Amino acid sequence: MSFTELGLSAPILKAVADQGYETPSPIQAETIPAILDGKDVMAAAQTGTGKTAGFTLPMLELLAKGPRPQANQVRALVLTPTRELAAQVAASVATYSKHLPLRSTVVFGGVKINPQMKALRQGVDVLVATPGRLLDLYNQNAVRFKQLEVLVLDEADRMLDMGFIHDIRKLITFIPKQRQTLMFSATFSKDIRTLAKSMVNNPVEISVSPRNTTVESVDQWVCPVDKAKKSALLTHLIKQNQWHQVLVFTRTKHGANKLTRHLEGKNIKTLAIHGNKSQGARTKALKEFKDGSIQVLVATDIAARGLDIDQLPQVVNFNLPNIPEDYVHRIGRTGRAGASGFAMSLVCADEFAELSDIERLIQQILPRRTEEGYEPIHPLPESRLDRRPPRAKKPKKAKPYNKSAHPRARTAKDAQPRRAEHKDGQRSSDNAQGRPSGNSKKRFSGGQGGNTKSNSRPRFSGSGNR
């Protein structure tokens, strides 16, 4: 089958051909016709199999036939969990729509909001966004959804797992009920499938590979090593094997920074990418890693989704992830689109539980190779494959709404100054005759008002900070 058989128009086919693609991937061959038919879709496919083009191409085909967007209106909305993935999807939309009269833009946090508001003023056909920044823009009347036709949740499982369910449900109340909804993800757990199905209407379910499996073209193995020797072993492997491009995953931001300093000290060009880095620094690090200016990119799981690097040869798990599904996404950065790659994990005895969870999830025992000179003093226990299905995780609960963090959302009543009450119900700022008391300026003075009795001290005592 070729792209010409999928019902796409000439401008889109030309854009696809410009990228050198002739044959659709399995996920694209199944999803594109279903989306063009106007059906809701839930699609599960391994990372690197072409999910993004699977929804981008038919979405652009549908939008090309409709009316242009009005001011601040959006016709198609793509939600992603991370800034990197948002930028990657936006780049894909721009690539495949370059021969169409469609406008698109991307919005996410970590950068100034004014340029994003300006880009939305004329209206856009496709908006790619992270949930938090999109809600900020909506609350400032910078974006509206009266013309919305298509809603896409990319990496839906990750979005819900990261606690975005509250934001997503709030956004759902703003958009038209009559819409086409598409959910794309690498994995769908039982609980997440239940949540997802509540947002779509009679969806077509598409799965081109078993859930929570890894790409066969990726050579995976485990290197047992003591925790204290991991940095030295990684340095040894990079230099001995002459790795010129390797993506290394750590569990924490502090660990990423520490490892980066170690590798830099060994004359290995390295940068780190994680949540504490500014968006500009993250974008710069990705660019330099892609063009070969740096040899090693050390990342936390924020980069496990959305990184699209052609022919990335090596992925190293410096620490195993706490969530076993994240292992699938991490190693999915290599072996993309049928290319070969390899992923190794440096595992100490303390991480045996995480290793067991991963092997249980992917239903295979990972082979082990010990590096000479780095044999662990504390041996890694032998694995035994647990055939029982892994327990489903509950999505994170949304944090309670904090009015003080959103001053614009406070009501007029909230804006009135609050006065502390005595235990007998009298206002501390008024005396029995209704006149201001002498210590009214010290509303939360902690008993420093002179004649205030111990049984009638203001409720909020101390420094005055509420």
Side-chain angles (χ1 to χ4, degrees):
M1 176 183 288
S2 66
F3 280 104
T4 57
E5 301 175 58
L6 295 178
L8 299 171
S9 60
I12 294 179
L13 290 175
K14 186 176 186 305
V16 171
D18 291 344
Q19 298 302 305
Y21 299 125
E22 297 179 358
T23 305
S25 67
I27 188 67
Q28 294 165 357
E30 292 198 44
T31 56
I32 290 175
I35 296 172
L36 290 177
D37 286 341
K39 298 176 181 177
D40 285 6
V41 170
M42 285 180 60
Q46 295 171 351
T47 303
T49 54
K51 296 192 307 294
T52 303
F55 66 77
T56 299
L57 297 178
M59 177 180 68
L60 294 174
E61 182 70 31
L62 295 174
L63 295 175
K65 303 173 183 177
R68 300 279 72 82
Q70 300 173 6
N72 296 106
Q73 294 291 337
V74 174
R75 298 179 60 209
L77 172 64
V78 183
L79 292 176
T80 70
T82 66
R83 305 170 190 174
E84 283 72 26
L85 183 55
Q88 181 61 44
V89 173
S92 180
V93 170
T95 296
Y96 294 122
S97 64
K98 63 181 181 180
H99 302 302
L100 294 170
L102 299 177
R103 287 194 298 266
S104 63
T105 192
V106 58
V107 298
F108 46 72
V111 296
K112 294 181 179 179
I113 197 172
N114 287 341
Q116 297 176 353
M117 297 175 71
K118 184 178 180 181
L120 290 166
R121 285 175 188 167
Q122 294 182 340
V124 294
D125 295 281
V126 182
L127 175 63
V128 185
T130 52
R133 177 51 62 94
L134 184 62
L135 280 175
D136 289 343
L137 289 163
Y138 182 85
N139 290 333
Q140 297 188 48
N141 295 319
V143 62
R144 285 293 178 261
F145 304 110
K146 183 179 179 181
Q147 288 186 264
L148 190 75
E149 303 170 34
V150 183
L151 170 66
V152 182
L153 269 68
D154 194 15
E155 301 289 9
D157 59 334
R158 183 67 170 176
M159 208 154 11
L160 302 185
D161 184 56
M162 288 173 67
F164 287 127
I165 181 60
H166 179 70
D167 288 344
I168 292 172
R169 283 179 172 164
K170 185 180 292 185
L171 287 166
I172 291 296
T173 63
F174 302 150
I175 65 179
K177 293 182 179 180
Q178 296 298 322
R179 65 177 187 273
Q180 186 176 14
T181 304
L182 315 174
M183 287 190 175
F184 281 72
S185 177
T187 61
F188 281 104
S189 68
K190 183 178 179 181
D191 286 346
I192 293 173
R193 279 176 171 270
T194 301
L195 288 170
K197 286 183 179 179
S198 67
M199 301 178 189
V200 295
N201 181 30
N202 296 323
V204 175
E205 291 199 26
I206 297 171
S207 180
V208 299
S209 59
R211 284 183 291 153
N212 298 324
T213 57
T214 52
V215 181
E216 293 182 0
S217 58
V218 178
D219 180 19
Q220 307 167 64
W221 55 283
V222 167
C223 185
V225 61
D226 287 330
K227 188 174 184 179
K229 291 186 177 181
K230 282 190 176 185
S231 298
L233 174 56
L234 179 60
T235 303
H236 166 74
L237 290 170
I238 292 172
K239 291 187 174 182
Q240 183 186 53
N241 298 308
Q242 296 182 346
W243 290 344
H244 297 292
Q245 191 181 46
V246 54
L247 177 61
V248 180
F249 283 103
T250 62
R251 186 179 296 139
T252 66
K253 305 168 190 175
H254 172 72
N257 291 334
K258 183 178 179 181
L259 180 58
T260 299
R261 290 193 296 268
H262 172 86
L263 295 175
E264 282 285 329
K266 301 298 181 181
N267 297 319
I268 298 173
K269 292 183 179 180
T270 308
L271 285 176
I273 176 173
H274 52 67
N276 281 358
K277 297 286 185 179
S278 68
Q279 186 58 40
R282 287 157 64 170
T283 302
K284 179 176 180 290
L286 284 175
K287 179 180 180 298
E288 292 186 5
F289 184 59
K290 288 182 178 182
D291 65 24
S293 300
I294 62 171
Q295 193 172 351
V296 180
L297 183 66
V298 183
T300 55
D301 283 305
I302 192 172
R305 312 274 183 133
L307 282 182
D308 189 8
I309 304 167
D310 293 336
Q311 307 299 323
L312 176 63
Q314 290 95 16
V315 168
V316 175
N317 291 304
F318 190 81
N319 308 116
L320 290 181
N322 290 322
I323 302 173
E325 287 86 356
D326 284 343
Y327 174 82
V328 178
H329 302 304
R330 285 182 178 188
I331 72 168
R333 299 303 99 202
T334 185
R336 296 171 69 85
S340 61
F342 100 97
M344 67 173 296
S345 301
L346 308 183
V347 183
C348 63
D350 292 344
E351 296 175 296
F352 179 69
E354 287 84 353
L355 176 62
S356 298
D357 288 343
I358 290 168
E359 292 176 329
R360 180 180 180 181
L361 178 74
I362 64 177
Q363 287 297 293
Q364 69 180 89
I365 293 178
L366 297 174
R368 303 184 184 190
R369 306 174 194 171
T370 302
E371 189 69 19
E372 185 178 355
Y374 296 90
E375 295 84 355
I377 299 175
H378 306 286
L380 185 64
E382 291 297 322
S383 296
R384 292 184 179 180
L385 193 59
D386 189 342
R387 297 289 183 182
R388 294 175 299 173
R391 293 182 179 180
K393 306 185 303 297
K394 293 183 179 180
K396 293 181 181 178
K397 292 183 179 180
K399 294 181 180 179
Y401 184 73
N402 184 1
K403 283 187 177 182
S404 63
H406 302 274
R408 294 189 180 186
R410 296 177 65 183
T411 62
K413 184 178 180 180
D414 293 329
Q416 295 176 0
R418 298 178 181 176
R419 293 178 293 180
E421 293 183 358
H422 294 298
K423 291 182 179 178
D424 61 2
Q426 277 188 324
R427 298 290 185 183
S428 62
S429 58
D430 298 315
N431 59 19
Q433 286 77 28
R435 294 188 299 271
S437 61
N439 63 350
S440 61
K441 292 184 179 180
K442 299 180 180 179
R443 186 172 301 154
F444 306 118
S445 60
Q448 298 176 13
N451 297 328
T452 305
K453 295 181 180 180
S454 61
N455 66 347
S456 59
R457 286 181 300 176
R459 182 176 301 169
F460 304 103
S461 62
S463 64
N465 294 325
R466 287 184 283 173

